[in-house]
Amino acid sequence: MTSWWFSLALGFYLMAAGGFTLFIIRQKKWAFRCSYWILVGGFVFHTLFLVYGYYQLGTAPVLDLRSALSFFAWCLAGVYLVIQARFQLMVLGSFVAPLTAFLMIISSAMPSWAAGPVKPLFKSVWLTIHVGTVFTGDALLAIAFLAAIMYLMQERQIKQKRLGSMYSRLPSLATLDAINYYSIIYGFPFLTIGMITGSVYAQVALGRYWQWDPKEVWSLISWLFYAALLHQRLAVGWQGRRSAILSIVCFGVLIFTFVGVSLLMGGYHSFSSMGAR
């Protein structure tokens, strides 16, 4: 049953990605409406898949890279739906839906765990809160990254006076900068809460708030990068191109922390050494 829900979610995300691509090319509102509700359908099936996974495991289903990528895709789709309701920015889906589908494709191509009970160590409410807040923050910061990409694309087209190209269908620079700002201003607190609850979980599970694990160190580095970006935006008044470039750099550090550190540097956060089952 759960595999069907995952497959349905993946199929809906792929159809939504195709529909949103058609929308940005043809600018047909019906294409946006259909794609939007297809994405909602994918999100619903994905939610059912994750809820059942939580019921089976007794904890958040993020204990291997396959499930972590799936959970990230779910958070990204959910955050997009909230931001779309707030900003009514139809073109944003043309960037979010393909990224969501891509994450799900990578997740589906990875091997799953063998069946078996999850260790009691991982059945902690603190782990669930930690995972939920961190991934929500990551999804919001992914939206900031996509807004930054769109900003630089739009700025380049304006400078080159290519106003008749497909990129002219992107929102104004002011709108893209505002989305970047709001995504960071809300994403950073979620990231912060996620780090705090992760420390509490480490104390409960391992007896120490801080282990100097590579993932912990790089999470702190990611947090410092975004703290610097937020400081520059709030205190110095950075906006526009400089903020967009730094947003891209920060997200690169965040992705390396999420995937690269876990795969390359080991430690107890490593998916290969967690031994969750």
Side-chain angles (χ1 to χ4, degrees), residues 7 12 20 66 68 72 74 88 98 134 174 202 206 225 230 256 261:
S7 298
F12 273 58
F20 277 116
R66 173 190 171 98
F72 186 28
W74 178 76
Q88 297 295 309
V134 164
L206 304 173
F225 265 80
L230 197 56
F256 178 75
V261 174

Side-chain angles (χ1 to χ4, degrees), residues 56-196:
Q56 282 189 314
L57 298 175
T59 188
V62 293
L63 300 179
D64 63 349
L65 184 56
R66 173 190 171 98
S67 56
L69 289 173
S70 169
F71 191 76
F72 186 28
W74 178 76
C75 288
L76 183 59
V79 165
Y80 163 72
L81 294 176
V82 173
I83 290 179
Q84 174 60 29
R86 168 67 175 81
F87 286 97
Q88 297 295 309
L89 189 62
M90 292 188 289
V91 74
L92 183 59
S94 300
F95 290 78
V96 173
L99 179 56
T100 302
F102 174 75
L103 291 170
M104 288 291 282
I105 291 171
I106 298 299
S107 174
S108 66
M110 291 184 169
S112 59
W113 274 342
V118 174
K119 291 181 180 180
L121 171 71
F122 295 98
K123 295 184 178 182
S124 169
V125 66
W126 286 110
L127 177 61
T128 300
I129 297 173
H130 165 61
V131 166
T133 50
V134 164
F135 275 77
T136 300
D138 288 351
L140 282 162
L141 297 173
I143 297 292
F145 164 76
L146 293 175
I149 293 292
M150 286 189 282
Y151 184 97
L152 295 179
M153 291 168 61
Q154 181 73 302
E155 183 187 55
R156 181 179 180 183
Q157 298 309 307
I158 291 173
K159 287 182 177 179
Q160 295 180 351
K161 297 182 179 180
R162 296 173 60 183
L163 301 180
S165 69
M166 185 181 73
Y167 299 115
S168 64
R169 298 162 188 173
L170 296 175
S172 68
L173 295 179
T175 299
L176 292 171
D177 188 61
I179 293 173
N180 177 272
Y181 172 77
Y182 280 109
S183 298
I184 294 170
I185 206 74
Y186 288 109
F188 184 74
F190 274 103
L191 195 65
T192 303
I193 295 170
M195 291 183 64
I196 293 171

